[in-house]
Amino acid sequence: LHPRVRRQRQMCKETEEGLCKFGNYTLDAEHATLRNSESGKSTTLTAREAQILQLLAENKGEVVRREVILNRCWDKNDDYFASRSLDVFVTKLRKLFETDPMIEIKTVRGVGLMLVVNN
């Protein structure tokens, strides 16, 4: 990374309880829950959704390569079925944030995914 980009990079803000905060959301990956602090609504995620979201949140504002996600969440990096499953999980995660214009999961074509939090 370019030094200027590295300084501007926003890492996942973890609390003492190991929770990951981004935008109005708090992710508890261990218990697979996502809480919106603005509405107070809590959503239960699947373990895999929580893993993917945690990986994206920890690298907020950076592209996470598909191979990295597949390796961490499926222990595979070139399996067609795991790759298609990733697409399904990302679609489900995008639906969770569709009413929040501040949060977006972007696809960087041919590279990977990026969690963008607009303040």
Side-chain angles (χ1 to χ4, degrees):
L1 283 176
H2 186 275
R4 205 177 300 160
V5 174
R6 188 174 296 142
R7 259 185 265 123
Q8 293 172 350
R9 189 171 114 180
Q10 297 177 335
M11 294 301 290
C12 181
K13 295 177 185 168
E14 291 206 34
T15 64
E16 294 170 14
E17 301 85 34
L19 306 177
C20 190
K21 295 187 177 201
F22 55 95
N24 294 323
Y25 296 89
T26 303
L27 171 66
D28 181 347
E30 187 177 334
H31 296 101
T33 56
L34 180 67
R35 183 170 168 67
N36 183 329
S37 59
E38 194 172 70
S39 69
K41 183 180 175 192
S42 189
T43 305
T44 302
L45 305 172
T46 66
R48 189 105 348 124
E49 288 169 340
Q51 276 183 309
I52 294 166
L53 189 55
Q54 181 179 24
L55 188 56
L56 292 174
E58 286 172 351
N59 296 283
K60 183 171 47 181
E62 288 184 12
V63 177
V64 180
R65 298 186 69 78
R66 285 183 71 88
E67 300 84 37
V68 171
I69 299 169
L70 291 169
N71 253 343
R72 292 256 181 93
C73 300
W74 278 270
D75 294 325
K76 299 176 181 181
N77 64 0
D78 62 353
D79 183 90
Y80 173 80
F81 296 104
S83 185
R84 302 282 29 105
S85 293
L86 174 58
D87 295 336
V88 172
F89 283 111
V90 170
T91 299
K92 289 179 181 180
L93 290 172
R94 283 182 174 140
K95 284 184 182 179
L96 291 174
F97 301 115
E98 68 186 356
T99 58
D100 189 340
M102 289 179 49
I103 306 289
E104 183 181 4
I105 299 175
K106 286 188 175 182
T107 297
V108 179
R109 190 177 168 110
V111 182
L113 300 165
M114 177 172 46
L115 178 67
V116 178
V117 180
N118 300 308
N119 295 333

